[in-house]
Every structure is written in structure tokens, then in C-alpha cells.
Amino acid sequence: MSHARAIHLSRRGLLAAGGAVGLGVALAACGDDKGEAKDGGSGSAAAKSGPWTFKDDRGKTVKLDKVPANIVAFTGVGAALYDYGVQVKGVFGPTTTTGGKPDVQAGDMDVSKVTVLGNAWGQFNVEKYAALAPDVLITTMFDDAGTLWYVPEQSTKQIAELAPSVGISVYDRQITQPLQRMWDLAESLGADMKAAKVTDAKKRFEAAAARLRAAAKAKPHLKVMAGSASDQLFYVSGTRLSIDLEYFKALGVNFVEPPESAKKQGGGWYESLSWENVDKYQADIIMMDDRSSAIQPADITKPTWKKLPAVKAGQVIARSPEPILSYDKCVPLLTSLAEALEKAKKVS
């Protein structure tokens, strides 16, 4: 089994179990790596014209005669582009819940206005994809092999023949890097990056980062654990590989770090614990996976969970292991953790 395949399977197993995602490859650096459209400037996507190029994080450059109009993207990518004013035509990945409501990864995107090609892992309707006459497919990448997230391995060749693809890496780097890459991509697609809504969100992100840094500095003794719940197992994510946790750690947050030997089963992302051993690590604050694939804290009935000091103290907050890569959606991630640190007491 190849290294890339092994990582892909570990991510697949993690998602299926609702495990804590940990999010290397250096950002491609040269001429077009910021993905700016050759005609320059900004404005609405409809107003953009002329040739379009974008160099993705695999080092591959997509060249088209005009700016893509029929965009198909992973749901979280579509949500990020939506925040910048770019509407995609189709999405794949967690889009709606079993109750028909927008999935957390859909953000503010109106899911009724997009064609859903697949709502779960392994689902991707190639016939519907072809019918959209896609100009480009955009998704993220969670390994250093350039594997396109949520594009089924068995359909990769067929999908690739229908349109070029763009991959944005969210592997082993701080969240600020893919945030900038998504910004560059949105700008190349015609988004107005000088709009007040966009610039204000970036300023709020910077302010929230400063707040988190200050909170972490004020309470360095508080230990934070990133977890995720499934029926049989509790997953503890280390900071290495995770774009959110790597950034929070760089800002000074003190995290529980499972040893590398314990994370082997999870491809280096996480350690799996039985519910009997959920108290293996001492934590003052627990961040829990907010994706629909994971059991949410309010629904965890395990007595060992309820006995954890952080749970008893009410010091449990949500975490987005697959953040929507717009500044607007990342502000709450920083703010939530900063508030938790500011209010939390030492309980471990």
C-alpha cells in the first residue's frame, strides 16, 4: 500500500468515525502562485473577462480562455467562495443534514441553489457533474501527495477528463496560509476583495488572533484538548498537521499532545481511546468536533465523559476541524477559544 493511499484511508476512516481531524508541502512560489487573473483588477465574477490562470498547491497551473463561470467545489470551498461573492454551481461533500438542513460545512451558502453531487464520503454523481459543463473543480488536500479531498478514487480519472482541478492544501501548515490562498483564488475568480464586508472580516480575524494570543499568554497553565466522539471511540487530535491547531499553538495555546507512537493508527493525526480511557489526558478545556459525522457533546451519554473535570465545569467548546476558509468564518474559531481561556478555571 502506497504512503498516499495509507493516509487517504486514515482520513476516510476518521471521517466515517467522526474523529478529530488534524490538519509539509510548501506553498508553490513563483509567478502565478497567487492565482491572479491575467486581466488584473477585481469586481464581480460576471464582469471578469479574458484568460484565467491559477497555480494550485500541487504546483499545477490551470489555464483557461476565460474566468470560470461553472465552478464545482467541495462544500466547504463553495462556502468560502460564497463569503467572497463567488457562487458555485455544484458541490460535493457534507451539504445537508439528515433533516434536510444545511450542514455546518455549508456555511451561509444557500444549498437550495447548488447541485449536490454527493452528500457523503464516496458519493459523487459523475453524470450530474458532466451535465453542469464544469469549467473547473476546486477542493482541498489533506496530504502531501496531492489527493483531492472527497473526489472518489474510483472516479478520479473520469472526473479529471471533464474539467481541470485546483487543489488548496490544508495539510501541515497554519490556517493563515490556506486562508490567503483562498483569498487569492476568490480574487482571481472576480471577487471584490476591497468590499467592506471582506476587508472588515480580515480585520476582525487579526483582532481575534491578538485576543487569543493575549488570553493564552495570561493563562499558560490551562491545558486544552481537541477531541471528537463516536459511539465506540474518543479521538484526541495532536496539533501537528492540523491547520487550526497549529495556528492556535503558534499563538501560545497549551495543548494536550498525544505521543507520535499513539497516533500511528490515525495516520499521525489522532489517538483513538476507548471510552473507559477517555480520562487518559488531563485537560481544562475540551474542544469538540462540530461536524455532523461526530457525536456532539450534548448527545454523549458515556458516564466516563460526564466525569471529566472540564465537562463537569462546563468548559467544553466547539471546534471546526475542517474550517471554512474565509476570514469571516474563522473569526468565531479564534473568539470562541479566546473566550474559553479567559473564563476557564484550572480543573485538571
Side-chain angles (χ1 to χ4, degrees), residues 64-330:
L64 300 175
D65 293 337
K66 60 180 181 179
V67 176
N70 294 342
I71 302 169
V72 173
F74 172 68
T75 302
V77 171
L81 291 175
Y82 180 87
D83 285 351
Y84 291 129
V86 178
Q87 178 69 54
V88 302
K89 294 293 180 66
V91 294
F92 54 95
T95 308
T96 58
T97 65
T98 52
K101 295 181 179 180
D103 188 272
V104 65
Q105 295 191 61
D108 294 330
M109 184 170 54
D110 186 344
V111 298
S112 69
K113 293 183 177 180
V114 294
T115 298
V116 181
L117 304 178
N119 199 51
W121 184 266
Q123 296 179 359
F124 192 112
N125 191 313
V126 180
E127 289 73 23
K128 280 188 177 181
Y129 180 57
L132 289 174
D135 293 321
V136 67
L137 179 149
I138 309 171
T139 187
T140 48
M141 302 181 297
F142 283 87
D143 60 29
D144 57 3
T147 304
L148 297 177
W149 188 229
Y150 261 81
V151 175
E153 186 176 354
Q154 67 273 18
S155 306
T156 297
K157 184 177 179 181
Q158 191 177 4
I159 291 169
E161 290 173 347
L162 294 170
S165 61
V166 168
I168 301 297
S169 181
V170 288
Y171 177 74
D172 196 17
R173 60 197 61 208
Q174 295 179 25
I175 197 170
T176 46
Q177 290 176 279
L179 270 173
Q180 183 60 50
R181 292 294 281 148
M182 193 62 69
W183 174 289
D184 296 335
L185 177 60
E187 184 174 36
S188 79
L189 293 170
D192 181 1
M193 309 313 283
K194 293 182 180 179
K197 177 183 177 181
V198 174
T199 57
D200 287 350
K202 192 169 185 180
K203 289 177 183 177
R204 287 188 291 108
F205 177 88
E206 292 166 350
R211 179 181 176 181
L212 179 54
R213 186 189 297 276
K217 185 176 181 180
K219 294 186 176 180
H221 57 290
L222 294 183
K223 203 80 171 177
V224 180
M225 179 168 66
S228 184
S230 71
D231 184 55
Q232 299 297 321
L233 297 169
F234 182 83
Y235 306 90
V236 179
S237 179
T239 57
R240 192 181 71 83
L241 306 181
S242 305
I243 58 171
D244 61 330
L245 302 184
E246 284 197 12
Y247 184 55
F248 299 158
K249 183 178 181 179
L251 293 175
V253 179
N254 184 13
F255 281 97
V256 167
E257 296 282 8
E260 291 303 312
S261 58
K263 295 190 292 180
K264 281 185 177 180
Q265 184 182 2
W269 298 85
Y270 61 92
E271 177 181 3
S272 304
L273 298 176
S274 66
W275 282 103
E276 289 74 18
N277 296 315
V278 72
D279 61 351
K280 178 178 180 179
Y281 298 107
Q282 298 297 306
D284 303 292
I285 297 170
I286 302 176
M287 303 175 69
M288 291 295 290
D289 187 344
D290 69 354
R291 293 171 303 164
S292 55
S293 55
I295 298 176
Q296 297 306 299
D299 299 319
I300 300 175
T301 59
K302 308 292 184 181
T304 49
W305 163 260
K306 295 181 178 181
K307 291 180 181 178
L308 293 177
V311 176
K312 292 171 68 176
Q315 295 175 177
V316 178
I317 63 173
R319 176 198 171 208
S320 298
E322 294 185 60
I324 294 173
L325 296 172
S326 72
Y327 286 100
D328 179 71
K329 292 300 180 290
C330 288

